Amino acid sequence: MFKEQGMKLSTRSRYGVRMMSDLADHYDLVPIFLKDIAKREDVSEKYLSLIVISLRSAGLINSTRGAHGGYKLARRPEEITVKDILEALEGDICLVDCVSNPESCSRVSICPTRDIWGILGRKIGETLSSVTLADLASTRRKKAENNIRSNI
Amino acid sequence: MFKEQGMKLSTRSRYGVRMMSDLADHYDLVPIFLKDIAKREDVSEKYLSLIVISLRSAGLINSTRGAHGGYKLARRPEEITVKDILEALEGDICLVDCVSNPESCSRVSICPTRDIWGILGRKIGETLSSVTLADLASTRRKKAENNIRSNI
DNA sequence: ACCTTTCCTATCGATTCGATAGTAATTAAA
DNA sequence: TTTAATTACTATCGAATCGATAGGAAAGGT
Ligand code: FES
Ligand code: FES
C-alpha cells in the first residue's frame, strides 16, 4: 500500500507531445490525418482524438473537417514549446494551489515549504519552455541518422 | 471532462515535507509526538502516521515507541534534502518509465521526446536536492520575524 | 497492571486515468 | 446529390489512485 507509482507524467501529456512532434515533422504540408499519426506513433486513435481537442482549443493546432481534412500546427515549430503543449493538456504548471492562489491556504505567512514549490514550478517551466518542436524534430532526424549508421 | 487538476504535488508529499520541517525545528531535543506535529501542522494524525512509515523506512527519521516515544530526525537538518523526502514518499523521480528503464519502451531508439523527460527529471532532482531541512528551518524563522514586525 | 505512544493492515468513498463507443457535423469528391 | 471520409462531441467503462478513517497489535515507561 502506498507509493505504487509516483511522479509520473500522464500518458495524456506523453501522447500529446509525441503527436505535436509528429505534426512538426510534416509542417508546411497538407493537413495530417489523425489516423496516420495514431498509426505512426502506435497509439489509440480514439484516445488521441480526445487529446487533440485540448491542443486545438489552446490554439496550438488548426483542424479541417471532412474528407482531406486533418490537423496542422498553428505556428511554426520554432514557436511552439513543450511548455505550451503541457499547459494545454494539464493546465497551469503549479505544483500546489497556494503558490498561484495564496488565499487557498491559511498558513501562507508562516509556511516554510511554499517557497520551494514555487521555485520548483518555475524551474520546470523554464526547462519546458526551452525546448521547441523544432528541437524535437531535429532530435528525431539525428536519431534516424544514427540508426541508419548503426545498421550498416 | 479532462484537465480537472493537472501537475499537482500529492498531499502525501506536501504533508511529509511539512512534517520533516517541523521535526527540523526540534532537532536535538527529545522525540516529538506525532500528535503534536499533527496539531501544529493542522493535519490528520492518522494520515500522518501512514506517511511517517515511508520516512522511517527510508532512514530519514528514527522512532521510539511507548510512553515518551516519538520521532526524531535521523541526520542533521543540513544533511537531509527535500529530494530525500520526496524520493522516500513518491519513489524515484523519473517522469516516464523508459528513461530509467529503456527496455520498457520499444521506441527508445527513434523517439525524440524521451530525452527531454530525462532532462526535466534531472533538473527537478537538482532543484530538490539543493534545498535542505536547515534551509526550510531558516525560512520559517525569517517568516516568523517578519510576522512579528508586521504586527507592531 | 496501566497508560501512552508507535506500528500495521484493512478498508471507505470519491476522484482520476486510460480507453472505448456511438453519433453528429462537415467537407471533398463521384 | 449521394457517398465516403474525416473531425467534433458526449457519454460512458473498469481499474487504479487518492485522501482519509478505523481498529487493534506491539512496545515501552511509570
Ligand atoms: S502548503 Fe500552502 S502555505 Fe504551506
Ligand atoms: S516514450 Fe518511451 S521512448 Fe518515447
Side-chain angles (χ1 to χ4, degrees):
Chain A
M1 184 261 177
F2 246 11
K3 202 197 326 187
E4 316 291 349
Q5 68 107 335
M7 287 230 112
K8 286 279 175 282
L9 200 67
S10 67
T11 26
R12 173 154 75 243
S13 291
R14 287 186 287 119
Y15 287 2
V17 174
R18 276 167 63 184
M19 173 179 180
M20 291 295 279
S21 116
D22 190 294
L23 281 177
D25 290 334
H26 303 85
Y27 184 64
D28 235 10
L29 305 179
V30 292
I32 310 295
F33 300 150
L34 199 60
K35 186 179 27 171
D36 293 338
I37 302 178
K39 194 173 297 177
R40 274 195 295 267
E41 299 292 331
D42 193 26
V43 160
S44 150
E45 177 185 353
K46 269 297 187 187
Y47 191 39
L48 258 196
S49 80
L50 296 187
I51 295 175
V52 99
I53 294 176
S54 305
L55 296 171
R56 179 175 46 85
S57 55
L60 298 180
I61 60 184
N62 296 324
S63 62
T64 321
R65 297 222 265 195
H68 299 92
Y71 298 97
K72 293 193 52 164
L73 293 186
R75 307 198 289 267
R76 289 166 41 228
E78 302 84 37
E79 293 171 332
I80 300 180
T81 71
V82 178
K83 186 186 179 202
D84 296 329
I85 302 171
L86 256 55
E87 281 182 342
L89 297 175
E90 308 269 6
D92 259 359
I93 297 171
C94 174
L95 275 346
V96 314
D97 283 333
C98 54
V99 166
S100 60
N101 182 14
E103 301 83 34
S104 67
C105 201
S106 60
R107 313 175 62 80
V108 168
S109 67
I110 56 168
C111 180
T113 69
R114 178 170 173 266
D115 303 24
I116 69 154
W117 305 138
I119 293 172
L120 180 57
R122 236 172 297 131
K123 289 263 188 198
I124 292 174
E126 282 169 21
T127 306
L128 291 177
S129 65
S130 74
V131 180
T132 72
L133 285 183
D135 298 326
L136 291 187
S138 102
T139 299
R140 173 171 297 191
R141 279 193 300 274
K142 254 177 224 137
K143 292 210 174 191
E145 285 176 25
N146 286 343
N147 286 337
I148 290 175
R149 269 203 211 102
S150 65
N151 280 344
I152 294 179
Chain B
M1 183 259 179
F2 247 10
K3 201 195 326 186
E4 317 290 348
Q5 68 107 334
M7 286 230 116
K8 286 280 176 282
L9 199 66
S10 68
T11 28
R12 174 153 76 244
S13 291
R14 286 186 288 115
Y15 287 1
V17 174
R18 275 167 63 184
M19 171 177 180
M20 291 294 278
S21 116
D22 189 293
L23 243 26
D25 290 335
H26 303 84
Y27 183 64
D28 236 7
L29 305 178
V30 293
I32 310 294
F33 299 151
L34 199 60
K35 188 181 21 171
D36 294 336
I37 302 177
K39 196 173 295 177
R40 274 194 295 268
E41 299 292 331
D42 193 26
V43 161
S44 150
E45 177 186 351
K46 269 299 189 188
Y47 191 39
L48 259 197
S49 81
L50 296 186
I51 295 174
V52 98
I53 294 176
S54 305
L55 296 170
R56 180 175 47 84
S57 57
L60 298 180
I61 61 183
N62 295 325
S63 62
T64 320
R65 297 222 264 194
H68 300 91
Y71 298 96
K72 291 193 53 163
L73 293 187
R75 305 197 292 267
R76 288 165 43 227
E78 303 82 38
E79 294 170 332
I80 300 179
T81 71
V82 178
K83 186 186 180 203
D84 297 328
I85 302 172
L86 256 54
E87 281 182 342
L89 296 175
E90 309 270 5
D92 259 359
I93 298 171
C94 175
L95 275 345
V96 315
D97 283 333
C98 54
V99 165
S100 59
N101 182 13
E103 301 82 33
S104 68
C105 201
S106 61
R107 313 175 63 80
V108 168
S109 68
I110 56 169
C111 179
T113 69
R114 178 172 173 265
D115 303 24
I116 69 153
W117 305 139
I119 293 173
L120 180 57
R122 236 172 297 132
K123 290 261 189 201
I124 292 175
E126 282 170 20
T127 306
L128 291 177
S129 64
S130 75
V131 180
T132 71
L133 285 183
D135 298 327
L136 291 188
S138 102
T139 299
R140 174 170 297 191
R141 280 194 298 274
K142 253 178 224 138
K143 291 212 174 189
E145 285 173 27
N146 286 344
N147 286 339
I148 290 175
R149 268 202 213 101
S150 67
N151 279 343
I152 294 179

